[in-house]
Amino acid sequence: MANPYSQIFAAKGTVGFTLAGLVSRLPLSMMGIGIITMLAQSRGSYGLAGGVAAAFTLASALLAPQVSRFVDRFGQSRVLPAAATLSLLGTSALLISTHWQAPDWTLFAFAILAGCTPSMSAMTRARWTELYRGRPELKTAFSLESVFDEICFIIGPPIAVGLSVGLFPEAGPLAAAICLAVGVTAFVLQTRTEPPVKPAETIAPGSVLRYPALRVLIVALAGMGVIVGTIDVVSVAFAEAEGRPAAASLVLSLYALGSCIAGLAFGAVRIGLPLPKLFLIGAGMTAASTLPLLFAGGISSLAVMMFVSGVFFAPTMIVALSIGEVAVPPSKLTEGLTWLTTGLGIGVAAGAAVSGGVVARFGVPAGFTIALAAGALIVGAAVWGYRGLSRGEPDVAAAPRAEDASAVTVQN
């Protein structure tokens, strides 16, 4: 049997934009923890560090879809350099303000400007879609991209923390800025695979948020993000309660490993089920895999449960993005994909915040109930979306204009 991953790289330019996209998306996983480490060392306040990091994360979540909307309208090569430049200016000013002990308000202002980071995972997926729209290779490409996302969040934070602790406080965010500059530059120079800009008269007005199908997916992915954020926090608290704090890294690594393996395997097989049915199955399994976490009796059992839970994460994410690819018109693709990843990111932040408060007040086992509740949210969104998408109901999947015809074919 031919290797499906070698097949997707048969098209010229795919290796180049994939590697550039991988480098340029590393900053998203490095900046938040890098800001916390930097300010904790230089200002001695975790409260300030967490607040500035939260400002950056929130700005990224709100600004990235707007950047992607401009990309759909004017093209990657015109918009990405400008957005990356604004982000780099904000990051540079943040580092200078930290080094020279500028007032605290400047840190928040420049962190918000630094949040003007383009969603490079959406940009690479847009290129894959342009190459393989409507073909089985697209699922394989999306699977690979999901694995790359996992890899970035595995290696990015340790690199940022290690540089800031081992060299100087600003080293972690500085490395993230360098990755962004190098990655975006290499990405936009590869014009062969850049999606063409659609004529202005064919672009549907308004935001993609007006498409009900996309809103369903955003809610579901936010729930998946809550699970990830909860697992991150509660796993650390669980390991500390067991007297083995270092074991938390092993537990979280197994979760990511399970997701990576499943993502690669899912991209290599051909499944004939409709996308809504696959999403419903994935949502149910993702939710069900959170239930055993309530009964973890030790680090070993928790690690096994985390690996199993991770197995269902990447395939469900891949199916959701595949549905999103056909739920919005081609002229809105980048913005639509960005909103999906934004929903995931907001869910991660919310899950970490809520579960942290629950653990502090009610204990470690109670923290896993947040993941269980998020699983119920995912299933609810999948059930609601499945009923409409599988019947092709216009109030769920259809678009208001003829140009949006691709948004009605999710069930195929």
Side-chain angles (χ1 to χ4, degrees):
M1 178 179 291
N3 184 348
Y5 290 98
S6 64
Q7 291 177 344
I8 65 174
F9 286 109
K12 292 183 178 180
T14 51
V15 173
F17 81 72
T18 300
L19 293 177
L22 180 61
V23 173
S24 58
R25 82 181 70 176
L26 269 172
L28 187 60
S29 66
M30 297 173 65
M31 276 297 294
I33 189 64
I35 290 173
I36 291 175
T37 308
M38 174 181 71
L39 293 178
Q41 291 186 93
S42 61
R43 298 294 179 96
S45 171
Y46 277 98
L48 175 64
V52 175
F56 169 80
T57 302
L58 181 60
S60 298
L62 296 177
L63 293 176
Q66 311 313 316
V67 172
S68 293
R69 180 186 291 190
F70 280 110
V71 167
D72 285 330
R73 178 66 182 85
F74 300 105
Q76 293 181 350
S77 59
R78 293 182 61 185
V79 176
L80 293 182
T85 298
L86 289 175
S87 179
L88 291 171
L89 288 174
T91 302
S92 301
L94 176 62
L95 301 185
I96 293 172
S97 298
T98 299
H99 183 77
W100 294 104
Q101 299 294 310
D104 290 351
W105 69 265
T106 63
L107 304 179
F108 288 92
F110 293 134
I112 292 173
L113 180 60
C116 191
T117 306
S119 175
M120 295 308 297
S121 62
M123 304 302 159
T124 56
R125 286 182 171 97
R127 294 200 177 199
W128 285 119
T129 302
E130 186 64 29
L131 287 170
Y132 297 123
R133 180 178 282 111
R135 296 168 55 182
E137 289 87 346
L138 185 59
K139 180 171 75 73
T140 302
F142 275 18
S143 299
L144 184 64
E145 289 297 317
S146 295
V147 171
F148 284 161
D149 288 339
E150 292 279 3
I151 291 174
C152 286
F153 279 93
I154 292 173
I155 68 175
I159 291 175
V161 173
L163 290 174
S164 290
V165 173
L167 297 178
F168 51 90
E170 299 84 5
L174 177 61
I178 293 174
C179 287
L180 180 65
V182 172
V184 170
T185 300
F187 191 83
V188 298
L189 287 176
Q190 300 175 66
T191 57
R192 177 197 297 267
T193 53
E194 180 179 354
V197 178
K198 304 295 187 297
E201 61 272 13
T202 66
I203 298 178
S207 170
V208 294
L209 293 179
R210 65 196 179 97
Y211 296 100
L214 196 71
R215 294 200 296 267
V216 170
L217 295 174
I218 292 173
V219 170
L221 289 181
M224 294 179 67
V226 170
I227 291 177
V228 173
T230 299
I231 284 175
D232 286 346
V233 171
V234 182
S235 295
V236 173
F238 189 97
E240 289 181 349
E242 292 285 310
R244 301 170 59 186
S249 60
L250 172 62
V251 172
L252 294 175
S253 295
L254 285 174
Y255 182 83
L257 179 63
S259 184
C260 287
I261 292 174
L264 287 172
F266 186 75
V269 298
R270 300 286 183 257
I271 302 176
L273 293 176
L275 287 175
K277 184 171 290 187
L278 282 176
F279 187 56
L280 183 61
I281 294 172
M285 296 305 295
T286 300
S289 68
T290 64
L291 183 59
L293 299 177
L294 298 173
F295 307 102
I299 291 296
S300 298
S301 62
L302 180 64
V304 173
M305 294 174 186
M306 286 295 188
F307 179 84
V308 173
S309 184
V311 165
F312 300 106
F313 185 85
T316 307
M317 177 76 174
I318 293 163
V319 173
L321 290 170
S322 298
I323 295 176
E325 181 261 323
V326 294
V328 298
S331 63
K332 296 281 189 179
L333 177 63
T334 311
E335 183 188 354
L337 293 176
T338 303
W339 271 115
L340 294 180
T341 56
T342 293
L344 182 71
I346 292 175
V348 171
V354 174
S355 62
V358 170
V359 168
R361 185 169 183 178
F362 301 105
V364 175
F368 286 123
T369 61
I370 305 302
L372 194 63
L377 175 65
I378 299 168
V379 171
V383 169
W384 185 86
Y386 174 77
R387 288 175 177 174
L389 294 175
S390 60
R391 294 196 302 264
E393 290 183 353
D395 62 327
V396 178
R401 291 181 44 180
E403 186 265 344
D404 304 341
S406 61
V408 194
T409 60
V410 181
Q411 67 270 25
N412 295 328

